[in-house]
Amino acid sequence: MNKSTQPNTASKEFNIHDKLRAASTHWGYCFAAQTYEDGFNYQFRTTFVDGMEFAIYERIGNYFVLIDFFESYDEACDDAKSIIDGHPDIKKMFSVG
């Protein structure tokens, strides 16, 4: 068996499970989609407790799965930024002035 001395790049990739564990946050990993949510692919949620925090969930089958949670656009993972960038109305919320 060969042992590689190259760095493990997978450990540097964003992992929502690790972030959830480290943050001990109130955000849940996933929840069931409801019938009134048919046709929706994403949910953008906010909380104002102890400061403003955002979360983006993506619909996968009959569930909404957490993509990321963050306090500013710059803190969001690349997937969350891509979703935000695709929705100018949401991106405006992160614009200053």
Side-chain angles (χ1 to χ4, degrees):
M1 177 181 202
N2 273 341
K3 292 188 178 184
S4 174
T5 58
Q6 296 177 354
N8 182 0
T9 57
S11 65
K12 295 178 185 176
E13 292 179 15
F14 178 77
N15 184 319
I16 191 62
H17 300 286
D18 292 341
K19 187 172 181 178
L20 280 168
R21 277 190 290 275
S24 298
T25 185
H26 68 280
W27 298 111
Y29 174 68
C30 72
F31 56 91
Q34 302 300 310
T35 55
Y36 62 85
E37 296 167 320
D38 286 347
F40 292 98
N41 294 323
Y42 302 101
Q43 278 201 10
F44 180 75
R45 294 185 169 196
T46 59
T47 185
F48 299 100
V49 178
D50 295 329
M52 189 177 293
E53 190 174 44
F54 308 95
I56 295 181
Y57 288 83
E58 181 177 21
R59 187 179 190 131
I60 299 176
N62 292 325
Y63 293 90
F64 282 96
V65 179
L66 184 63
I67 300 299
D68 196 10
F69 57 96
F70 44 90
E71 293 180 359
S72 70
Y73 179 84
D74 293 333
E75 290 180 9
C77 72
D78 291 342
D79 288 340
K81 286 179 182 176
S82 177
I83 294 166
I84 293 168
D85 293 345
H87 294 83
D89 53 332
I90 294 175
K91 187 158 186 181
K92 271 193 274 184
M93 293 176 54
F94 294 98
S95 298
V96 177

